[in-house]
Amino acid sequence: MKMKHSLGTVTVAALGLASLPALAQAQEGPVWDVYGQLNFGVLSVDDGEDTNTTFIDNDNSNSRVGLTMTQALQNGSELRLTFEAGLGLTGSSAINGDDDSLDFDYHRTELRKLDLTYRTPNAGIFSFGQGSTSTDGSAEADFSGTGVAAYVGISDIAGSQQLRFADGTLSTVTIGGTNGSFDGSRRFRVRYDTPVFNGFSASVSYGQEVLSFGR
């Protein structure tokens, strides 16, 4: 859903842009976009002793809601504010034989993005806030096109499932503890992406985890 509101000409001061009046003057009112998705599934696990089947929120691409505000600036620049959060439903990565019910339990770690981005036509993209680091997704290339069902991040679909010993007893070892993708993640960070040159670009970021403490 897209909503457009004419708010007149404004001057944007965020991220020090007030010092660049030629770039910071808005062209017209901002454009607001509301989006989201529901992505449920049925997960069935047979570990050789027991079979558990349950209804889950698919952590390969979890259910979420988001809001963006995009403001066009002079010289083709653009300022965008993005908010995105999961719904707090029990995800496939959290399901195991002891906890196999779909519940609502919201934590601040459900926040995916709270990000301010300044996009320029020639100088690249500058980002600040909670969002993807430069390496987020870099180790998860999958050309099958089946990423919603399964992809290299096996922990997202079965991370809390426990492995069994040869005698049938459950161990404390989980699939998520033995299968890391070495991929980047979302953090509270600053990030810079270069313009695209002949089909290639580079990015650098620095940040830290600020949401997981105390959940």
Side-chain angles (χ1 to χ4, degrees), residues 2-5 28-33 68-72 81:
K2 180 175 289 186
M3 300 175 289
K4 294 186 178 180
H5 301 281
E28 58 181 27
V31 176
W32 298 85
D33 288 296
T68 65
M69 185 280 290
T70 305
Q71 176 64 67
L81 179 64

Side-chain angles (χ1 to χ4, degrees), residues 10-177:
V10 298
T11 300
V12 181
L15 288 180
L17 298 181
S19 61
L20 300 174
L23 293 178
Q25 189 171 5
Q27 298 298 290
E28 58 181 27
V31 176
W32 298 85
D33 288 296
V34 179
Y35 63 93
Q37 68 177 30
L38 296 175
N39 189 13
F40 301 130
V42 176
L43 180 66
S44 183
V45 178
D46 184 345
D47 64 4
E49 291 287 334
D50 295 317
T51 300
N52 289 296
T53 302
T54 187
F55 193 58
I56 50 89
D57 190 33
N58 185 356
D59 278 340
N60 284 347
S61 181
N62 69 336
S63 299
R64 67 192 68 166
V65 64
L67 172 68
T68 65
M69 185 280 290
T70 305
Q71 176 64 67
L73 305 174
Q74 284 190 353
N75 299 335
S77 298
E78 177 184 279
L79 192 69
R80 174 173 294 185
L81 179 64
T82 302
F83 166 80
E84 183 179 291
L87 301 184
L89 301 171
T90 304
S92 52
S93 64
I95 292 293
N96 58 36
D98 296 323
D99 181 6
D100 59 0
S101 60
L102 181 66
D103 301 313
F104 176 80
D105 189 15
Y106 190 88
H107 300 282
R108 62 173 175 262
T109 51
E110 298 290 343
L111 178 64
R112 296 171 54 84
K113 298 178 182 179
L114 187 57
D115 184 36
L116 183 64
T117 299
Y118 177 52
R119 184 185 300 267
T120 70
N122 300 313
I125 304 171
F126 303 84
S127 305
F128 174 77
Q130 178 72 16
S132 292
T133 59
S134 296
T135 56
D136 188 16
S138 62
E140 296 178 341
D142 189 326
F143 299 109
S144 69
T146 61
V148 174
Y151 75 119
V152 66
I154 190 174
S155 294
D156 288 342
I157 201 67
S160 294
Q161 299 295 333
Q162 295 171 280
L163 304 180
R164 288 188 181 273
F165 292 110
D167 62 5
T169 59
L170 277 175
S171 73
T172 59
V173 179
T174 63
I175 290 177

